[in-house]
Amino acid sequence: MIKLLLNRLGQGVLVIAVLQTLTFFLVRLLPGNPFLGERKLPEHIMAQLNSLYGLDQSAWVQYANYWKGILLHGDFGPSLVHEGVQVSDLIAQAFPVSLELGVLGMLIAIGLGIPAGMLAAWWRNKWPDALIMAFSMAGICIPAFVIAPLFGLSLGMHIPGLSVAGWDDPLCAVLPSLTLGLVTAASIARLTRGGMAEVLSADFIRTARAKGASAPRILFIHALRSGLLPAVSYLGPAFAALITGSFVVETCFQVPGMGLHFVNATTDRDYFLIQGLVLCYGVLIVIANLSVDLVLVALNPRLRSQGAA
């Protein structure tokens, strides 16, 4: 178990280092300049700004200074667009919003996807299975940027209390979290259906049915633990994707989360903010995948012996 944990941590550190290195150099290849506004600045002003933020140094010196600031001081650097504001302050303000939105979306996805997948597997090749899988396929195929405006027009404009923009009221979280949750629930339902269908066709399930075990006992006692393994494997990346991939949803509903900052930072060429957000996303994905690995080991003892080998 400890060996597995250390192995995953080592892989995670390597992934973050590679991701951050690629991001550092790729953002500097973007056309444009963070200091170019509506009018062109004089050359001496541009030179002073580049010197102030260390952008007049070579890329490798900037790269070394960037990691030095993070590792020694926990400093992500200043925002190049928001004058006098540190990247860490912007992330500290936006991350709780994105995290809350992601948790709500994941709760909706699990609450809808797993029961739907279990029912589809129990009535495999019958009309409930076909109906559930049809809705799941529609949820997978229809992107969030289509669902979000539809929910805003059909629900937000007609149901009192629901808001289509902002984050200043608890009900503001309903539509964006529902948009994220339904898209993820579709994938979870299909994975749960596949895992449960395989387990329900096993010999020990047929034996339990022959002994007169009830449907709830077969589903929840005999089949659920093994049948959820494919869905659990997907939950880690899915949870990270709900937070890191909520750019469109946060933009549609004007949620002040990290997705909105990422879109604006890319448009404004705010190098340090882009790097800080990517680093935050990378750490989040590594933690989510590590958590899923631990849950899988707890559900499947065979993985525990493989990790110790």
Side-chain angles (χ1 to χ4, degrees):
M1 186 72 170
I2 296 178
K3 183 178 179 180
L4 176 65
L5 180 61
L6 294 176
N7 185 30
R8 293 294 189 270
L9 284 176
Q11 293 177 2
V13 171
L14 179 61
V15 168
I16 291 173
V18 173
L19 175 65
Q20 203 63 11
T21 301
L22 291 175
T23 302
F24 182 90
F25 289 101
L26 286 177
V27 295
R28 282 158 175 76
L29 296 177
L30 290 173
N33 189 289
F35 307 122
L36 292 178
E38 296 181 357
R39 60 187 182 88
K40 185 177 180 180
L41 295 176
E43 292 294 333
H44 69 282
I45 299 296
M46 289 289 296
Q48 290 178 359
L49 289 173
N50 287 326
S51 176
L52 176 64
Y53 292 104
L55 300 179
D56 57 340
Q57 300 173 329
S58 67
W60 290 107
V61 173
Q62 295 181 47
Y63 179 74
N65 291 335
Y66 177 71
W67 279 113
K68 180 180 177 181
I70 291 179
L71 298 177
L72 297 182
H73 308 290
D75 182 15
F76 292 92
S79 171
L80 301 178
V81 176
H82 302 83
E83 186 177 356
V85 179
Q86 294 292 315
V87 170
S88 56
D89 295 333
L90 292 174
I91 294 177
Q93 294 173 2
F95 179 72
V97 176
S98 294
L99 181 62
E100 181 181 354
L101 181 59
V103 170
L104 291 174
M106 180 55 69
L107 291 177
I108 292 174
I110 293 175
L112 294 177
I114 290 180
M118 293 173 62
L119 292 175
W122 183 257
W123 283 303
R124 183 174 48 174
N125 299 328
K126 298 180 180 179
W127 71 264
D129 179 24
L131 182 64
I132 292 173
M133 289 299 100
F135 276 106
S136 299
M137 183 59 67
I140 294 174
C141 295
I142 301 176
F145 63 81
V146 174
I147 298 178
L150 289 178
F151 278 174
L153 292 174
S154 61
L155 300 179
M157 302 297 292
H158 297 90
I159 299 179
L162 291 183
S163 176
V164 296
W167 196 259
D168 53 358
D169 186 87
L171 291 178
C172 292
V174 173
L175 293 181
S177 59
L178 188 62
T179 302
L180 290 174
L182 289 179
V183 173
T184 308
S187 299
I188 293 178
R190 293 188 65 84
L191 290 171
T192 303
R193 190 261 187 196
M196 292 293 293
E198 182 178 355
V199 174
L200 289 174
S201 62
D203 293 337
F204 72 93
I205 296 296
R206 286 195 289 267
T207 302
R209 284 174 170 168
K211 291 182 178 181
S214 62
R217 181 174 180 82
I218 292 175
L219 282 173
F220 292 100
I221 303 299
H222 296 287
L224 185 61
R225 182 170 181 173
S226 299
L228 283 183
L229 290 178
V232 172
S233 300
Y234 174 74
L235 288 181
F239 178 65
L242 284 179
I243 300 177
T244 62
S246 60
F247 305 149
V248 174
V249 174
E250 290 183 3
T251 303
C252 290
F253 293 103
Q254 292 299 298
V255 177
M258 294 199 302
L260 196 58
H261 278 310
F262 194 92
V263 173
N264 293 334
T266 305
T267 304
D268 299 333
R269 311 298 189 268
D270 196 341
Y271 302 150
F272 295 122
L273 182 54
I274 295 175
Q275 294 163 191
L277 291 172
V278 170
L279 179 60
C280 185
Y281 288 148
V283 172
L284 181 64
I285 291 174
V286 169
I287 293 176
N289 288 331
L290 179 61
S291 301
V292 166
D293 288 338
L294 295 178
V295 172
L296 288 175
V297 169
L299 291 176
N300 191 352
R302 288 178 295 180
L303 296 177
R304 197 177 310 161
S305 59
Q306 292 174 6

